Amino acid sequence: MLIKHATQSDVARVAGTSTAVVSYVVNGGPRPVAKETRKRVLDAIRKTGYRPNTLARALLTGKTSTLGVVVSDLGNPFLSGMVQCLEDEFFTRGYSLFVADSHDDPWREKQIAEMMLSRQVAGLVWYSVDQPPPADLVRDMRGPVVFLNACEPIGGAGHEGRRISVLENERTGTAGLTEELIRRGCRRIGHLGGPQGRINSAERARGWYEALREKSGLDESVFAGREGDTPESSPLYISAPYTHEGGWNAADKFVDLGCDGIVASNEMQAVGILARFNRLGLRIPADISVVALHTTNYAPYTTPALSGMHVDLDGLAHSIADAVFEQKDCSPIIPNAYFSARESCAELRDECR
Amino acid sequence: MLIKHATQSDVARVAGTSTAVVSYVVNGGPRPVAKETRKRVLDAIRKTGYRPNTLARALLTGKTSTLGVVVSDLGNPFLSGMVQCLEDEFFTRGYSLFVADSHDDPWREKQIAEMMLSRQVAGLVWYSVDQPPPADLVRDMRGPVVFLNACEPIGGAGHEGRRISVLENERTGTAGLTEELIRRGCRRIGHLGGPQGRINSAERARGWYEALREKSGLDESVFAGREGDTPESSPLYISAPYTHEGGWNAADKFVDLGCDGIVASNEMQAVGILARFNRLGLRIPADISVVALHTTNYAPYTTPALSGMHVDLDGLAHSIADAVFEQKDCSPIIPNAYFSARESCAELRDECR
DNA sequence: CTGTTAGCGCCTTCAT
DNA sequence: ATGAAGGCGCTAACAG
């Protein structure tokens, strides 16, 4: 039983007007409608069960009120939280979200980009663990493209105002975490990085490494000893997927390395680490402290409660929406982030307060 | 700088053909195209950067290859996992997902339903913590509507084949969890239910209550003592939001009640309970066992590892896709669910193995 | 095999 | 204040 939806002409027939008037009533313009006529149209709309067809409107006007959101893993609470905030923010502004999960796969990203373009999304919010994103993607996008985890402003000739970079400052965030551990007395701080060869992994590693460098009195064995060494070549650096399992598997290695502090690049990793340490009977933070980048509202409920760098996702979503709707100001967005100290890292030492 | 997208007529002009031929090439039919012509068209497509406009196609054909997904809380890992599986399954079939979060708010649900309808989604997957869903929503939907957490098949005259109920069997699931605790020697098993007055909360409570009833030798004080008592009137029943905090706050009450086992209706609740118990220094499961409905791949990484009823979301998404595409068979879908015993509940007693 | 044509549902300019 | 008409980009008959 295929239901035929009522169209404007159905409404017009019932109301005894033209389709134009119906359109005026539905959209509140651009021409005025007599009070009496409007009432007849409204009645007809109710009677027929008319509902505007967004597709037809978009085809005609060239605007879709539709946003594309691409993330690398919807199973990551940080990212699903991000999507949730974006949905909330944009829905209230009349926009709907196409959500896609790239599974951190460049080929899939391409497919998704094609899809988003052919669906005429008005804007695109893009979270890829790698940079830069598909080049032609942006070239062909009409509307603004927001790069959620840009390491630096993503420019491009002729695209001013259409590319918006969100500088999550992964580097400074990780550096901040590292400093917090140092201030709490950790002397041998390891870093659990993301998958190999990813720019974002590298950025986070760099933040950790540079924070260590700038502090004197730290265990020299962190550095391989030669100038020009990369963070990844440090003996205290370990690479793992951004998953619980990645953290779990890496945990033992940090123990073997004699670390008394770990900076995880991800809440999921940190959760895996905590689970493993608890299983091993290690005392956190007495034996070893753990902090993570991008913690979520789940962090207070781990055992022990996870300390970490928290991003104000609501505020970020709001800024993104503003940037998308007022395309004039396309300066990079820097989200609010703050360190939440919880049980998983030692108390601040007196001399540092 | 507004970019004008190439259309079929642009391609046709460059290729020296008509737009019809371009359409044939793009869609591989319905009429054959000479090899030589096809090549010219393909070249022209590349040259012009043509990309089909899904909106125009949908307007004409009346099919959108677009699916609407509505959940009550994207921050709930079980639900975001569900969305992830659906996205994966439908994307590979050429469908895109509009994702919306109702925040468990009926008014918002209505708005979302309107939006989905006006966007002409080909189908709708609907997860509401309450039943039944907005009536007119289904009436006006062209395509199939999948009710993710139906307590019983949702029928309706004239809608055969368009309503698909996924019977999560929340009741039997909760009953199964309760039985597992009984088999492990728990004698005083409490239930942490969802928000008051919700059908799903009631179903879960019923599963717990009936499982207790059927077992003899249990603490009689579970029941208020009179026939006709509801599960919710039991002293061992507590109601709380489906959140970490809900579990955390309820935890103490279960201790006061002298429970040695808890069936949480949700992983988030269970996580909150575990966190609180750990903080209180209770031994799990020695002092008290905890199990949860709808655990995710996060459960192995709590401390202690959380036991619970796991749903095969991949398989479920697959079944849903099948049901949506082959509308003939609209019998209810019953997802695969299985109990995963982990550290958070005691070992099976010998006599029960 | 290829071209012509008629809409899909809607908005808006231009007449009335 | 209202109506008629054109066209957004595309597909599917129907001609050729």
Side-chain angles (χ1 to χ4, degrees), chain B residues 39-331:
Chain B
K39 189 171 148 16
R40 284 215 318 281
V41 170
L42 256 23
D43 276 350
I45 286 178
R46 205 162 312 119
K47 218 166 292 178
T48 56
Y50 168 77
R51 223 181 297 264
N53 183 329
T54 311
L55 264 48
R57 174 184 294 162
L59 178 59
L60 186 56
T61 62
K63 294 167 190 295
T64 50
S65 66
T66 274
L67 191 76
V69 176
V70 185
V71 296
S72 55
D73 177 16
L74 268 175
N76 180 334
F78 176 74
L79 293 178
S80 58
M82 178 90 239
V83 173
Q84 185 177 38
C85 291
L86 284 171
E87 197 271 342
D88 200 36
E89 182 68 36
F90 277 88
F91 184 81
T92 61
R93 304 201 193 205
Y95 273 59
S96 303
L97 264 54
F98 279 120
V99 176
D101 186 332
S102 68
H103 295 274
D104 195 14
D105 172 6
W107 184 74
R108 183 87 170 232
E109 276 189 353
K110 282 240 168 57
Q111 281 191 297
I112 292 173
E114 285 301 321
M115 179 276 273
M116 293 292 184
L117 284 171
S118 76
R119 295 215 183 270
Q120 315 289 112
V121 293
L124 204 46
V125 179
W126 190 271
Y127 188 102
S128 162
V129 296
D130 208 0
Q131 302 281 340
D136 46 342
L137 157 66
V138 188
R139 178 167 38 73
D140 297 350
M141 260 296 294
R142 301 174 96 85
V145 181
V146 180
F147 296 102
L148 269 187
N149 55 345
C151 300
E152 52 189 58
I154 298 181
H159 297 286
E160 286 73 19
R162 299 202 306 110
R163 298 182 173 195
I164 300 163
S165 305
V166 174
L167 302 178
E168 286 203 43
N169 270 340
E170 324 226 355
R171 181 159 24 119
T172 57
T174 316
L177 288 171
T178 310
E179 286 162 17
E180 292 288 348
L181 286 185
I182 294 173
R183 244 182 270 154
R184 283 168 169 76
C186 294
R187 314 294 303 168
R188 201 167 159 76
I189 301 168
H191 176 52
L192 182 53
Q196 298 275 13
R198 293 298 164 71
I199 294 191
N200 273 76
S201 303
E203 280 294 297
R204 297 177 194 191
R206 212 172 128 197
W208 158 74
Y209 199 65
E210 290 178 357
L212 287 185
R213 268 241 155 105
E214 285 168 14
K215 303 293 166 180
S216 56
L218 285 178
D219 192 323
E220 289 295 328
S221 72
V222 172
F223 313 105
R226 295 159 307 186
E227 272 304 314
D229 281 348
T230 64
E232 286 86 349
S233 66
S234 160
L236 297 192
Y237 174 86
I238 297 179
S239 167
Y242 288 125
T243 60
H244 298 132
E245 199 186 359
W248 174 279
N249 291 334
D252 296 65
K253 302 179 193 164
F254 284 113
V255 175
D256 293 342
L257 289 168
C259 289
D260 58 2
I262 303 178
V263 177
S265 21
N266 189 310
E267 185 180 80
M268 298 177 82
Q269 286 183 341
V271 163
I273 293 174
L274 292 184
R276 183 61 183 153
F277 284 171
N278 285 330
R279 176 71 66 92
L280 292 175
L282 266 71
R283 293 165 306 157
I284 310 170
D287 294 329
I288 188 164
S289 294
V290 179
V291 295
L293 198 64
H294 292 175
T295 46
T296 73
N297 56 18
Y298 172 66
Y301 298 98
T302 59
T303 300
L306 179 62
S307 316
M309 202 60 82
H310 193 81
V311 177
D312 172 21
L313 292 179
D314 282 312
L316 176 55
H318 194 78
S319 305
I320 289 176
D322 278 348
V324 166
F325 288 112
E326 305 152 21
Q327 295 188 31
K328 25 198 160 182
D329 178 21
C330 64
S331 51

Side-chain angles (χ1 to χ4, degrees), chain B residues 2-23:
Chain B
L2 260 183
I3 299 168
K4 176 83 181 100
H5 270 185
T7 71
Q8 281 193 347
S9 70
D10 293 324
V11 177
R13 194 175 335 104
V14 172
T17 71
S18 76
T19 63
V21 177
V22 178
S23 173

Side-chain angles (χ1 to χ4, degrees), chain A residues 275-297:
Chain A
R276 182 61 183 155
F277 284 171
N278 285 331
R279 177 71 64 91
L280 292 175
L282 265 71
R283 292 166 307 159
I284 310 170
D287 294 328
I288 187 164
S289 294
V290 179
V291 295
L293 197 65
H294 292 174
T295 46
T296 73
N297 57 18

Side-chain angles (χ1 to χ4, degrees), chain A residues 139-259:
Chain A
R139 179 168 35 74
D140 296 351
M141 260 295 296
R142 300 176 96 86
V145 181
V146 180
F147 297 102
L148 268 187
N149 54 343
C151 299
E152 53 189 58
I154 297 181
H159 298 287
E160 287 74 19
R162 300 203 304 110
R163 297 182 173 195
I164 301 162
S165 304
V166 174
L167 302 179
E168 285 205 42
N169 271 340
E170 324 227 355
R171 182 159 24 119
T172 56
T174 318
L177 289 170
T178 309
E179 285 162 18
E180 292 289 348
L181 286 185
I182 294 173
R183 241 182 275 154
R184 283 167 170 76
C186 294
R187 312 295 301 170
R188 199 168 161 76
I189 301 167
H191 176 53
L192 183 52
Q196 297 277 12
R198 293 297 166 70
I199 293 191
N200 273 77
S201 303
E203 279 295 298
R204 297 177 194 192
R206 211 172 128 198
W208 159 74
Y209 199 65
E210 290 178 356
L212 287 187
R213 270 241 155 109
E214 285 168 16
K215 302 293 166 178
S216 55
L218 285 177
D219 192 324
E220 288 295 327
S221 71
V222 171
F223 313 106
R226 296 159 307 188
E227 271 303 314
D229 282 346
T230 64
E232 287 85 350
S233 65
S234 160
L236 298 191
Y237 174 85
I238 297 180
S239 167
Y242 288 124
T243 61
H244 298 132
E245 200 187 358
W248 175 279
N249 291 333
D252 296 65
K253 301 178 193 165
F254 284 113
V255 176
D256 293 343
L257 288 169
C259 289

